[in-house]
Amino acid sequence: MNFKDLLKQSDLILGVGTLVILSMLIVPLPGFILDVLIVLSIGLGLLILLTALSVTEPSEFSIFPSLLLITTLFRLALNVSTTRQILSKGPAMNSSVIEAFGTFVVGGESGLGKYVVGLIIFIILTIVQVVVITKGATRISEVAARFTLDGLPQKQMSIDMELNSGSITEAEAKVKRKKVQREVDFYGAMDGASKFVQGDVRAGLIITAINLLGGILIGSTIRGESFMASIETYGKFTIGDGLVSQIPGLLSTTATGIIVTRSSSEKKLTIEIKDQLFGNAKTMYVVSGALALASLIPGLPFFSLLALAGAIGYLGYSIEQVAKEEIKKIENVTQEKTQERKPENYIKEISVEAIQVELGRDLLPLVDSSSGGHLLEQIANTRKKFAIDFGLVIPAIRITDNLEIPHDNYTIRINGVIVGQSVVKADRLMAMNNTTRTLEQITGDAFVEPAFGLKATWIDPNDKIEVENKGYSVVDPSTVIITHLKELISNYASQLLGREEVKALLEHLRQTHPTLVGELDYDKGGRLGIIQQTLQNLVAEGLSIKNLPKIMEAIANNFPKSNDPFFLSESVRQTLSRQIINDFLSPDGKLHVVTIDPRIVDRLNKSLMQDEQEGRIIILPNDIRIRIIESVYNELQKALDDNRFLIFVISRYLRQPFAFFLTKELPPRNFAVIASEEIHRGVPTEISSVLSLPTREEQPQEV
């Protein structure tokens, strides 16, 4: 078996390694093997530290808590082995590494002086490790674990919001949920693992004291050595052993501190240090000037400070030159594109885009993937989600810049008309309270979320974790725009379903249902326009047309009876009644509906009129219309208070006119109107309320 094959047996290596560590607690080891193991311990400490520096997110180093336990056990077993060697062999101790650290590394003094220096260095290392690094890392681990666990529901809610808005796909949502769970597991494990570090340091101190006191006692009593000779012999080995155990421990402790203090980032720590600490030439110039002035102070090292000032000044100059070269490259590329530009063909200027999003200058980075923008990707996901959920192929969405609007504004146009606009802070995040609880106030700029009119706050990205831990849902600027865009597309979806889109749907259906599409014969007698209007009626009420075969069968079956798209759309609804009703069932499995007072129904029947464009419509006197709408708003408020969707039930004859009547008065997507004939047998139905006129104004003779 070669070395590569051996590396593949990772389970075997880990198991054998653990057994070796345990055997070190019992079996005496010769000096040369101890030297190899000590060097291995130091190497592992360096490897762990460098790995902690290179990861971008703490959860990437998910094995760190387990690795910390294994290496801690390894160092403690090594301490036991070296203690056995020191106390059993005394001056005959033959570990070159321990002797080197105990004699040459501390250096500087002769006789007992060097051991005093070594002891002081060991104590300093221990104090730094215990008081500074270990204590801080342990505290941060505890706080991070608590905050991460507290913020878990809000992070999951944010992922659900992004998924529902089409900003991410189901697969991406699974990856994000898994990542959040990994963070929770990691910080929970780190909270416990930090206790290993504390125990390791305490055990190291105790073992060092045992080595020194036990060695002096054994040397001066059992071996007959003088007291000073015992101090010199065992002091050298004890200091060497303490240093070789504390140095890898210090490396692991430092790695622990780095891991738990790292926030999620897209870059490595070393790159962030370069960009943030050495990324501003002006700052380098100021530091260089301050050091140059400090060199003139009497008593300070003139040449050292001046050399350092010159080095930092040159670094600032280099940074500035690199920035100028990047700007020059961008200008050259822009100039080349301008020179290559051909005469403009303005025929495109007279065309009207189906959906257009115009961005102010400050929002352009949101569409630049090289700058971290992902608005284009979110738009693609939104179009895909509409196709999956509603069977609608949304036309391509055009993104343009508009220098005439404020720099932090955007506008959304559908068929050339502005249907929505708002403000977005490209360098901020938006926090919302999606719960019914009153949450702690947060710092930021007050804002009204454009899609649903919710109160929100623009916060600093650095405050994201803190704000999420307080119970808020936090989304990025692109998600704000996408959510608004999705809501507007839902409201105006029927206007986006043109003849070309319907024809594309039918041609796609022809591949699987050629007989059905052939029977429709949509190229004859304006049938394509009739099919289009029928589908528009369905989409206008929020129904999915994904089940296109069933819809087209219903249209084909009723074409001999009527070419009226309003009649056909009602026939389609009867065919899809089970799908429609199932979509409206409450979590308790019941259909909660609001019935209509017979007097109102009678008045609606008398107010029906036939319109060439809109089919049958309801024309009511203004006073009665206002009173009915007031009652409808009251029912809407009741439904919101009861946490149920507002569903009116009425006869099939009045369903469509009444739905269109309410659509002109109520916010879209806040209600539904179903026909009593659509409620199939076996559906548990509960009447939540009855729509009637306000009691104080009730005058039957007027109605």
Side-chain angles (χ1 to χ4, degrees):
M1 180 181 292
N2 56 32
F3 184 69
K4 290 183 178 180
D5 294 334
L6 184 63
L7 288 178
K8 294 178 181 179
Q9 305 295 326
S10 55
D11 294 339
L12 178 62
I13 295 175
L14 183 61
V16 172
T18 305
L19 291 177
V20 170
I21 292 173
L22 295 175
S23 65
M24 289 168 59
L25 298 170
I26 303 171
V27 180
L29 298 177
F32 72 93
I33 293 182
L34 282 178
D35 288 343
V36 173
L37 295 177
I38 290 171
V39 172
L40 177 61
S41 177
I42 297 174
L44 283 175
L46 283 172
L47 179 61
I48 292 172
L49 177 61
L50 295 178
T51 303
L53 289 171
S54 64
V55 297
T56 57
E57 295 181 357
S59 57
E60 288 183 8
F61 201 4
S62 58
I63 65 167
F64 183 72
S66 301
L67 191 61
L68 197 61
L69 173 59
I70 294 173
T71 54
T72 300
L73 180 62
F74 176 56
R75 286 196 301 274
L76 292 176
L78 198 56
N79 271 337
V80 172
S81 296
T82 54
T83 298
R84 183 186 293 111
Q85 277 274 5
I86 293 171
L87 297 181
S88 63
K89 294 188 177 181
M93 168 74 176
N94 59 347
S95 173
S96 302
V97 177
I98 291 178
E99 187 170 358
F101 272 87
T103 305
F104 300 106
V105 174
V106 296
E109 293 287 343
S110 60
L112 293 176
K114 64 172 65 179
Y115 305 119
V116 175
V117 172
L119 182 61
I120 292 174
I121 292 175
F122 171 76
I123 293 173
I124 291 174
L125 285 176
T126 304
I127 291 174
V128 169
Q129 190 171 353
V130 174
V131 178
V132 181
I133 301 177
T134 304
K135 188 175 182 180
T138 302
R139 178 58 180 162
I140 294 174
S141 295
E142 293 173 352
V143 174
R146 186 175 72 250
F147 280 3
T148 303
L149 187 61
D150 291 344
L152 178 61
Q154 286 69 41
K155 291 180 180 179
Q156 291 176 334
M157 190 179 297
S158 296
I159 294 171
D160 292 338
M161 286 181 59
E162 290 180 324
L163 177 62
N164 293 333
S165 67
S167 303
I168 58 176
T169 62
E170 182 66 34
E172 291 171 330
K174 289 182 180 179
V175 172
K176 285 196 170 188
R177 290 192 186 100
K178 186 176 181 181
K179 179 181 176 182
V180 169
Q181 189 60 50
R182 284 181 62 191
E183 287 180 357
V184 173
D185 295 341
F186 176 80
Y187 283 111
M190 280 302 303
D191 186 22
S194 59
K195 304 300 187 296
F196 302 152
V197 178
Q198 288 182 330
D200 182 27
V201 176
R202 295 191 183 101
L205 285 173
I206 295 172
I207 291 173
T208 300
I210 291 173
N211 281 346
L212 183 59
L213 297 177
I216 293 174
L217 181 62
I218 292 173
S220 58
T221 58
I222 298 176
R223 292 195 173 94
E225 300 173 357
S226 66
F227 183 74
M228 295 302 297
S230 297
I231 291 178
E232 183 174 353
T233 299
Y234 294 101
K236 174 179 65 176
F237 292 138
T238 298
I239 292 170
D241 180 43
L243 289 176
V244 297
S245 64
Q246 286 300 317
I247 287 176
L250 182 62
L251 295 175
S252 297
T253 307
T254 305
T256 303
I258 291 173
I259 281 291
V260 297
T261 54
R262 286 284 284 146
S263 59
S264 297
S265 172
E266 295 181 357
K267 299 179 181 179
K268 296 180 181 180
L269 179 61
T270 51
I271 298 176
E272 287 191 331
I273 291 175
K274 182 192 70 175
D275 293 342
Q276 297 178 23
L277 195 60
F278 301 105
N280 192 325
K282 293 181 180 179
T283 303
M284 297 292 103
Y285 291 149
V286 172
V287 174
S288 176
L291 291 175
L293 291 175
S295 67
L296 302 178
I297 298 175
L300 294 181
F302 174 79
F303 292 105
S304 299
L305 288 173
L306 196 62
L308 183 59
I312 294 177
Y314 178 75
L315 178 61
Y317 174 77
S318 301
I319 294 172
E320 189 176 25
Q321 292 302 116
V322 170
K324 287 181 179 180
E325 290 179 4
E326 292 295 329
I327 294 174
K328 188 174 181 180
K329 288 180 181 179
I330 295 174
E331 291 177 348
N332 290 338
V333 171
T334 304
Q335 186 176 4
E336 290 175 1
K337 289 183 177 179
T338 303
Q339 293 174 352
E340 295 175 358
R341 187 179 299 165
K342 297 180 181 179
E344 296 289 349
N345 181 1
Y346 293 104
I347 192 65
K348 294 182 179 179
E349 301 299 325
I350 65 174
S351 62
V352 177
E353 299 291 338
I355 308 174
Q356 184 175 357
V357 179
E358 298 176 334
L359 303 178
R361 187 179 66 184
D362 292 350
L363 306 185
L364 295 180
L366 298 180
V367 298
D368 185 4
S369 58
S370 62
S371 301
H374 50 278
L375 183 59
L376 294 178
E377 181 182 354
Q378 288 178 308
I379 286 176
N381 291 336
T382 299
R383 296 182 66 213
K384 181 179 179 180
K385 187 169 180 62
F386 267 97
I388 293 173
D389 293 345
F390 297 101
L392 281 174
V393 179
I394 300 300
I397 300 173
R398 185 182 180 190
I399 308 293
T400 62
D401 60 330
N402 188 343
L403 301 181
E404 297 180 359
I405 63 177
H407 294 169
D408 56 357
N409 279 31
Y410 70 88
T411 61
I412 298 174
R413 296 175 182 266
I414 291 183
N415 294 328
V417 179
I418 296 178
V419 294
Q421 55 188 344
S422 187
V423 178
V424 162
K425 304 294 184 182
D427 59 343
R428 298 292 188 93
L429 297 176
M430 191 182 75
M432 295 179 295
N433 180 5
N434 289 332
T435 68
T436 56
R437 298 180 289 117
T438 301
L439 302 179
E440 182 182 345
Q441 292 292 327
I442 56 176
T443 303
D445 300 329
F447 179 65
V448 177
E449 192 272 336
F452 305 104
L454 301 176
K455 292 183 179 180
T457 305
W458 289 112
I459 64 169
D460 190 292
N462 296 324
D463 299 334
K464 178 182 179 183
I465 296 177
E466 178 184 352
V467 170
E468 285 182 335
N469 291 335
K470 291 180 179 179
Y472 290 86
S473 296
V474 180
V475 296
D476 57 44
S478 296
T479 302
V480 176
I481 298 176
I482 284 296
T483 304
H484 194 188
L485 177 63
K486 180 190 174 186
E487 188 65 17
L488 291 173
I489 291 176
S490 298
N491 295 339
Y492 294 91
S494 60
Q495 298 182 19
L496 299 172
L497 193 60
R499 280 175 167 76
E500 292 299 328
E501 288 75 20
V502 173
K503 184 176 181 180
L505 290 175
L506 292 174
E507 288 303 317
H508 178 72
L509 182 63
R510 188 190 295 275
Q511 299 175 13
T512 55
H513 297 74
T515 304
L516 174 59
V517 177
E519 184 180 347
L520 288 170
D521 195 14
Y522 64 83
D523 288 330
K524 182 182 71 174
R527 286 192 171 187
L528 180 61
I530 296 171
I531 296 173
Q532 176 204 358
Q533 293 179 55
T534 303
L535 294 179
Q536 284 179 329
N537 291 340
L538 299 173
V539 172
E541 294 193 61
L543 296 184
S544 170
I545 59 172
K546 189 175 181 180
N547 195 354
L548 201 60
K550 283 290 184 184
I551 294 174
M552 290 302 124
E553 279 186 6
I555 293 176
N557 292 337
N558 287 277
F559 255 145
K561 301 176 184 178
S562 174
N563 287 340
D564 180 8
F566 300 99
F567 170 81
L568 293 174
S569 60
E570 290 302 300
S571 300
V572 171
R573 287 183 64 95
Q574 291 297 314
T575 302
L576 301 179
S577 60
R578 290 185 178 273
Q579 169 192 319
I580 295 171
I581 298 303
N582 285 340
D583 289 342
F584 289 139
L585 292 179
S586 298
D588 60 3
K590 295 181 180 180
L591 182 67
H592 297 272
V593 299
V594 175
T595 58
I596 315 295
D597 189 302
R599 291 170 296 173
I600 296 179
V601 174
D602 183 60
R603 183 65 195 190
L604 295 177
N605 277 315
K606 294 177 181 178
S607 302
L608 278 178
M609 295 185 63
Q610 186 68 31
D611 184 84
E612 293 182 359
Q613 299 295 327
E614 300 183 14
R616 288 179 298 132
I617 60 175
I618 295 173
I619 304 295
L620 290 170
N622 192 53
D623 59 334
I624 298 177
R625 181 185 63 83
I626 292 175
R627 292 166 61 192
I628 292 177
I629 294 303
E630 286 179 357
S631 297
V632 170
Y633 270 102
N634 290 336
E635 294 299 331
L636 178 59
Q637 187 59 50
K638 290 180 186 177
L640 293 175
D641 293 340
D642 296 340
N643 195 26
R644 58 180 170 82
F645 186 65
L646 180 59
I647 304 173
F648 293 104
V649 61
I650 200 168
S651 68
R652 179 182 178 185
Y653 182 72
L654 282 174
R655 196 214 63 81
Q656 191 175 69
F658 187 60
F660 286 178
F661 169 75
L662 294 183
T663 300
K664 296 179 181 180
E665 305 290 346
L666 284 181
R669 310 291 179 184
N670 281 16
F671 68 95
V673 180
I674 62 175
S676 55
E677 293 84 355
E678 292 173 355
I679 305 176
H680 50 274
R681 186 176 181 181
V683 175
T685 306
E686 182 176 300
I687 299 176
S688 302
S689 182
V690 178
L691 179 68
S692 57
L693 294 182
T695 304
R696 67 179 186 276
E697 299 181 4
E698 199 169 56
Q699 299 178 7
Q701 66 273 20
E702 292 183 8
V703 180

